[in-house]
Amino acid sequence: MIKALIFDVDETLVYYEGYDGREWFEKWAKREIENLGVSIYFETYKKMVKGKLPRSWVENLGVNHVEFWKAIDRANLKYRKWAAEQGLIKAFLDVDVLKSFKEMGLKMAAVSNASQDCAEFVLKLFDLKKYFDVVLGKDYKYLDGAKPNPYLIKKSLKALEVSPKEALVVGDSLSDILAAHRARTKVVQVMRFGKIEGADYYVENLNELVQLVRSLIDKDL
């Protein structure tokens, strides 16, 4: 029986118009990194983000890796506040159906590789935080626990007090799919920007997700 949904935030519930990762790094992140007395290339940064390098790799440069990622998150929050003022952060038009899941009595979590502050900022921006029992962002005690690591999914399951079989992860990316399966949870890909192989279910939008969840619940009754 499905009792809970665990949502990815960025590109699943909200998106950033005109966002370019390299441009963000050069304009927003680089300054914060240089304030720590170090400099890294964008390609190296991306490898850490994708898990190809550990997030502690920057210790090789003589900088505390927790302080490094806090600097990155400061840059990210500054960017989000600026982007919000410019009207560049958008909620997908179908996010209003989140209330349908609460009406079904489902527990819900929102999980993000961004910081807690960054995740909550965009959810509050569109009055979405009220739908979630739990919001989890980056954990500075275990920075390598970012998706595709299952750590945040498992942490959500524990907080919601449900088993992996009683939850569905809802996301848009390969990292969401991998994290869900590593947590032994089934995953729905919302195909915002195309289909990614490996998910258990696929929907075009959150309206279709409502139909899917209802059919899964009915099947178990």
Side-chain angles (χ1 to χ4, degrees):
M1 171 70 77
I2 300 300
K3 295 182 179 179
L5 299 175
I6 301 172
F7 284 86
D8 170 57
V9 178
D10 295 330
E11 314 304 334
T12 298
L13 302 176
V14 303
Y15 65 98
Y16 304 81
E17 197 170 75
Y19 175 81
D20 178 89
R22 183 182 293 273
E23 183 179 303
W24 171 84
F25 182 81
E26 295 294 333
K27 184 175 179 180
W28 297 90
K30 207 166 187 179
R31 184 182 310 138
E32 295 288 343
I33 294 170
E34 289 174 350
N35 285 340
L36 298 176
V38 296
S39 180
I40 67 170
Y41 294 112
F42 173 71
E43 288 74 17
T44 303
Y45 166 75
K46 287 298 291 182
K47 286 180 180 178
M48 288 189 286
V49 169
K50 296 293 185 182
K52 294 178 181 179
L53 287 174
R55 293 193 174 217
S56 59
W57 181 89
V58 290
E59 300 273 352
N60 295 317
L61 303 179
V63 62
N64 180 281
H65 75 286
V66 174
E67 293 305 314
F68 174 85
W69 289 102
K70 285 183 178 180
I72 291 293
D73 292 332
R74 284 195 297 272
N76 197 355
L77 187 58
K78 287 178 182 178
Y79 163 74
R80 291 183 185 214
K81 288 179 177 179
W82 171 83
E85 290 176 355
Q86 303 300 312
L88 297 176
I89 306 180
K90 312 281 189 180
F92 287 101
L93 296 178
D94 53 15
V95 295
D96 60 335
V97 305
L98 290 175
K99 63 185 178 184
S100 298
F101 300 119
K102 298 306 291 185
E103 290 167 356
M104 292 181 205
L106 297 174
K107 298 178 181 180
M108 295 207 293
V111 173
S112 175
N113 279 354
S115 71
Q116 186 81 23
D117 287 342
C118 286
E120 291 194 9
F121 175 77
V122 294
L123 291 174
K124 290 176 181 177
L125 189 62
F126 299 103
D127 198 28
L128 301 179
K129 188 174 181 290
K130 65 185 179 184
Y131 295 117
F132 296 100
D133 304 283
V134 177
V135 177
L136 294 177
K138 185 181 297 175
D139 189 338
Y140 294 116
K141 294 180 181 178
Y142 183 36
L143 285 164
D144 283 329
K147 296 175 291 182
N149 188 302
Y151 173 72
L152 289 175
I153 304 299
K154 289 181 177 180
K155 195 173 178 180
S156 295
L157 293 170
K158 185 176 181 179
L160 295 174
E161 299 182 319
V162 295
S163 71
K165 291 183 179 180
E166 294 174 323
L168 283 178
V169 172
V170 182
D172 69 291
S173 70
L174 179 60
S175 290
D176 296 318
I177 294 171
L178 293 174
H181 285 164
R182 289 169 182 173
R184 301 183 182 279
T185 304
K186 289 189 176 181
V187 57
V188 183
Q189 191 215 350
V190 186
M191 297 182 290
R192 301 294 197 190
F193 306 102
K195 184 177 181 179
I196 298 174
E197 295 299 328
D200 298 284
Y201 306 101
Y202 294 90
V203 295
E204 293 282 352
N205 51 58
L206 298 186
N207 293 300
E208 287 188 9
L209 179 64
V210 173
Q211 298 173 29
L212 172 65
V213 171
R214 281 179 176 154
S215 68
L216 291 174
I217 291 173
D218 289 344
K219 184 178 179 181
D220 289 332
L221 292 178

